[in-house]
Amino acid sequence: MKQRILGQTGQSVSEIGFGAWAIGGTWGEVSVEDAKEALNAALDAGITFIDTADVYGDGRSEKIIAEVLNARGGKRPFVATKLGRRLSPHVSEGYTAENLNAFVERSLQNLQTDTLDLVQLHCPPTEIYYTPEVFDVMDDMVAAGKIRHYGVSVEKVEEGLKALEFPNVSSIQLIYNIFRQRPAEHLLLEAKRRNVGIIARVPLASGLLTGKMKADTFFSADDHRAFNRNGEAFDKGETFSGVPFEVALDAVEDIRRFVKGDVTMAMLALRWILMNENVTVVIPGAKNRAQSEANAQASQLDALSEDTMLALKGIYQQKIAPWVHQRW
């Protein structure tokens, strides 16, 4: 498993990480046994970066991670969590020192650790990026030893650029994949210049870029791909990267001709992200051992050819960009 440095943290992490949203909830049923097998398989494959959040299954994801890491023993991987989305309503006024500290204390308990490696503001309201007092609170928690580093998880490119103005922001997490290429135009370059790590989430566009979905694919009622296509529960960009399902399926068929040999479309999609040296780690999710093992293999693939990269950019510009490029 190849390694990259996570910005100013100086931490070396695997370029493929483990996204732990799916083992928490809103991706259909995932048993605790399957969740633990998925995480163990990722760790066995050399993955050293885990991304979770306090709202994934209302703490279920964090607790499963703690149980697995405690059972394995040895050196712990780098674990990033998030805070803020427990607020109801989720408004900027709720980002107080009292609330933020309470969220961190809860994650410390869930993850059974004395210090959190990385805490990310979890797609906060845009106003937060114009509220330096919130970042002062994060600095205070670093000074108190509750967290080692902090970053932000953003919905929009503009939010990421604004976050870079705060000198102690160590990482930016954002959606970056074949269907969401805008971050590469400026944000990823600027983050690299400022030595800020980039965590690429939703790398497979909620499963679309596995190439396995069809127009009649069924999603259970507790799966966000059934209930959030228009942003009913949270930002619609988190579901299928904001691309209308039928539009995306058509583009997937164009991408399919670049899938050859033993390489799956999911592996191709992950390798596409890793072609950008300004990305630190990509965090695909996994519901079981097989998915984790397949995700990890993307680190070993040969570089994509220039012709393939140009073709994938063309597909994006022609079929996908009109739906997403200026929205996020």
Side-chain angles (χ1 to χ4, degrees):
M1 176 64 66
K2 297 173 184 174
Q3 306 285 307
R4 301 189 183 191
I5 301 298
L6 186 64
Q8 61 188 253
T9 71
Q11 180 73 38
S12 178
V13 299
S14 55
E15 63 181 12
I16 301 287
F18 182 88
W21 184 8
I23 67 171
T26 63
W27 285 85
E29 178 62 29
V30 180
S31 70
V32 172
E33 180 181 357
D34 281 345
K36 289 182 176 180
E37 285 195 3
L39 181 51
N40 272 306
L43 296 170
D44 290 343
I47 285 175
T48 61
F49 183 95
I50 302 171
D51 177 85
T52 185
D54 57 1
V55 291
Y56 294 166
D58 193 26
R60 180 183 194 250
S61 178
E62 290 181 326
K63 292 175 181 177
I64 288 173
I65 291 166
E67 291 176 15
V68 168
L69 297 186
N70 287 340
R72 291 176 67 94
K75 184 179 179 181
R76 288 172 66 96
F78 192 91
V79 180
T81 192
K82 311 182 197 74
L83 57 73
R85 303 297 296 196
R86 294 185 62 77
L87 292 170
S88 183
H90 182 233
V91 293
S92 57
E93 291 79 7
Y95 280 72
T96 64
E98 180 181 7
N99 285 337
L100 296 180
N101 274 276
F103 296 151
V104 163
E105 291 293 344
R106 186 175 184 272
S107 288
L108 284 167
Q109 182 177 1
N110 285 346
L111 287 165
Q112 298 180 33
T113 186
D114 296 326
T115 306
L116 299 172
D117 293 327
L118 175 68
V119 173
Q120 304 155 92
L121 301 180
H122 197 173
C123 298
T126 302
E127 295 88 343
I128 293 300
Y129 301 100
Y130 296 86
T131 311
E133 293 82 2
V134 170
F135 295 85
D136 291 341
V137 173
M138 303 303 289
D139 285 329
D140 290 343
M141 285 194 280
V142 172
K146 292 184 178 181
I147 64 179
R148 291 187 177 89
H149 310 281
Y150 67 86
V152 296
S153 182
V154 304
E155 295 289 4
K156 300 179 179 180
V157 165
E158 289 77 12
E159 293 171 343
L161 291 170
K162 181 61 179 174
L164 288 174
E165 297 181 10
F166 295 94
N168 295 326
V169 167
S170 296
S171 65
I172 292 176
Q173 182 177 141
L174 76 171
I175 297 176
Y176 179 60
N177 59 44
I178 294 173
F179 286 170
R180 289 282 286 274
Q181 298 191 23
R182 187 182 176 207
E185 292 181 351
H186 183 55
L187 176 54
L188 301 190
L189 295 169
E190 186 62 17
K192 184 71 171 181
R193 188 179 73 83
R194 298 188 185 224
N195 196 27
V196 172
I198 291 290
I199 303 166
R201 74 173 184 274
V202 195
L204 302 179
S206 306
L208 278 167
L209 291 170
T210 66
K212 297 179 180 179
M213 293 183 181
K214 300 178 181 179
D216 61 352
T217 295
F218 172 78
F219 301 102
S220 61
D222 62 344
D223 190 322
H224 73 100
R225 294 171 293 184
F227 66 75
N228 191 60
R229 293 193 185 189
N230 296 304
E232 294 90 339
F234 41 83
D235 191 277
K236 68 178 290 184
E238 301 289 342
T239 302
F240 299 135
S241 295
V243 185
F245 190 59
E246 294 76 13
V247 172
L249 288 178
D250 180 57
V252 164
E253 291 310 306
D254 289 346
I255 295 170
R256 198 178 301 279
R257 71 177 186 270
F258 300 100
V259 180
K260 300 176 182 178
D262 295 332
V263 177
T264 66
M265 186 179 294
M267 293 177 190
L268 174 78
L270 294 175
R271 190 65 183 90
W272 181 90
I273 295 170
L274 294 174
M275 289 293 291
N276 193 313
E277 63 180 10
N278 299 324
V279 171
T280 308
V281 55
V282 55
I283 51 171
K287 292 183 176 183
N288 53 54
R289 174 174 291 276
Q291 290 178 357
S292 283
E293 291 172 344
N295 289 340
Q297 290 176 30
S299 180
Q300 306 303 318
L301 296 184
D302 293 336
L304 303 183
S305 70
E306 182 177 354
D307 286 346
T308 297
M309 294 296 290
L310 287 172
L312 293 175
K313 184 175 183 179
I315 293 169
Y316 168 77
Q317 291 175 332
Q318 180 181 0
K319 295 193 173 182
I320 302 298
W323 298 96
V324 302
H325 197 77
Q326 298 301 337
R327 294 182 184 274
W328 291 281

